[in-house]
Amino acid sequence: MTTPPLGDIAHIGHTQLFTPDLDASVAFCTDYLGLTVSGQDGGTVFLRTYDDYEHHSLVLTARDRPGLGRLALRTAGEEALHRRVRAIEEAGGTGHWTEDEPGLGKLYVTTDPDGHEHALYWESEHYRAPDELKPALKNQPQAKPGHGVGVRRLDHVNFLAADVLANAEFQQRVLGARPTEQIRLDSGRIAARWLTFTDKSYDVVYTEDWTGSKGRLHHIAFATDTREDILRAADLAIDTGVFIETGPHKHAIQQTFFLYVYEPGGNRVELCNPLTRLVLAPDWPLITWTEAERAKGQAWGLKTIESFHTHGTPPTA
């Protein structure tokens, strides 16, 4: 198997959520998060954050149950794309080519060991805002929304996995991610690992699914400009009936200031402010948290939340 050069994956392009209530999920994204609809194809709606240079940041697709669809990763170039495809196939993986999303060229669709769908692509049209959305600042793709939270970008995806280590190693050995932090239980088992493709401290996370299920979602996360935006998001949630699961608070691991809410379709969404924390050291050591350290909970004493709603309804995502 070829060793993946650092930088073959440029960044997370977008992700897809399934929802049993498409209209309500779209309203949550536009009215509460401040996303903009950039297209629709039947039961699929494409939305974008205001500072995304591509056509869409999030895809919502009508399904009978909530959950995670495709995670799309943009490569650093055409050659990088084909290197990663070769690495996937040399590692025993399979995939197929498709061209089924607006604003993008061909995507190579594969899965991680847990069954989460990944798509790799290079060709992408830069977004051109219509007159009513043109920004005053020419180095910004779209005017900042004057309503809702006004999230800047899709920040990361946290997968639930039956085998955290196998999936994390897929990201590392096949796609070229760097691990930055992890949780190791007393048994030696890795219960969670955070990984990055960029200078951000993490882009993808794998968290152990205590149910033993495969292919589920823990949450997707959108980044805000400031910590104060997280506090405002909590106030907006109360005012508009958005369910707050926990927060505002601070993660001990990765030190992200955050708020967990649920969108109407049943998917957990994190609003986060990790913008000031970067991993600039090329030889960054993997930081390991013990079971005892993790049992202390989040920073400031908040106990770690489980993979179920705190009000007792298990998510199906």
Side-chain angles (χ1 to χ4, degrees):
M1 182 174 63
T2 56
T3 301
L6 291 176
D8 265 6
I9 303 297
H11 63 86
I12 291 176
H14 59 274
T15 195
Q16 178 186 34
L17 292 179
F18 299 133
T19 171
D21 193 339
L22 183 62
D23 290 342
S25 294
V26 170
F28 167 88
C29 289
T30 55
D31 298 342
Y32 178 69
L33 294 181
L35 273 61
T36 303
V37 173
S38 54
Q40 182 164 359
D41 182 7
T44 293
V45 178
F46 302 91
L47 303 106
R48 51 174 284 104
T49 60
Y50 78 90
D51 204 27
D52 194 339
Y53 70 91
E54 296 188 281
H55 178 269
H56 51 276
S57 317
L58 177 66
V59 182
L60 290 177
T61 299
R63 288 283 177 89
D64 59 348
R65 299 178 66 177
L68 181 68
R70 177 181 296 173
L71 170 65
L73 303 170
R74 193 179 188 205
T75 63
E78 188 73 28
E79 292 183 1
L81 171 60
H82 290 287
R83 275 197 300 269
R84 291 309 97 227
V85 170
R86 287 195 299 271
I88 290 167
E89 294 176 349
E90 289 174 8
T94 59
H96 66 276
W97 292 95
T98 186
E99 194 167 351
D100 60 0
E101 295 194 36
L104 303 180
K106 290 183 178 179
L107 301 98
Y108 183 80
V109 181
T110 187
T111 61
D112 65 14
D114 216 64
H116 301 101
E117 187 174 271
H118 287 55
L120 280 60
Y121 68 98
W122 160 241
E123 295 178 2
S124 177
E125 296 177 2
H126 282 225
Y127 175 77
R128 293 184 178 274
D131 288 343
E132 66 273 17
L133 294 176
K134 284 186 177 178
L137 301 175
K138 64 185 300 181
N139 58 356
Q140 188 171 294
Q142 178 185 321
K144 190 170 183 177
H147 64 279
V149 180
V151 293
R152 178 176 285 274
R153 68 163 193 270
L154 177 67
D155 188 77
H156 65 268
V157 175
N158 189 319
F159 302 102
L160 288 172
D163 186 335
V164 168
L165 187 58
N167 287 276
E169 289 183 343
F170 165 82
Q171 298 284 348
Q172 294 170 227
R173 297 177 181 176
V174 179
L175 298 184
R178 290 187 295 160
T180 55
E181 302 195 39
Q182 66 179 6
I183 301 169
R184 179 185 288 128
L185 303 182
D186 294 343
S187 64
R189 190 170 74 253
I190 303 301
R193 182 172 286 181
W194 286 253
L195 307 105
T196 183
F197 296 108
T198 62
D199 289 334
K200 289 168 63 253
S201 59
Y202 61 111
D203 292 305
V204 295
V205 188
Y206 284 96
T207 303
E208 186 174 71
D209 192 329
W210 63 269
T211 70
S213 303
K214 290 186 175 183
R216 297 205 307 154
L217 170 69
H218 191 279
H219 67 267
I220 67 169
F222 291 94
T224 65
D225 286 340
T226 68
R227 283 190 176 194
E228 286 70 26
D229 288 326
I230 303 295
L231 301 177
R232 179 171 173 272
D235 285 338
L236 285 174
I238 293 173
D239 286 339
T240 58
V242 170
F243 174 72
I244 295 176
E245 182 181 29
T246 189
H249 214 80
K250 178 183 173 182
H251 288 303
I253 298 175
Q254 301 292 354
Q255 300 187 32
T256 304
F257 197 71
F258 74 97
L259 174 73
Y260 281 147
V261 301
Y262 270 85
E263 59 87 19
N267 295 293
R268 180 189 282 122
V269 176
E270 180 183 19
L271 301 172
C272 63
N273 183 244
L275 298 179
T276 58
R277 190 162 188 268
L278 301 174
V279 174
L280 300 176
D283 54 352
W284 179 266
L286 176 57
I287 296 171
T288 297
W289 299 76
T290 67
E291 189 169 340
E293 289 168 337
R294 184 59 171 169
K296 295 178 181 178
Q298 312 286 2
W300 306 333
L302 177 72
K303 294 303 180 183
T304 302
I305 65 167
E306 300 294 340
S307 300
F308 283 179
H309 293 263
T310 54
H311 64 290
T313 305
T316 54

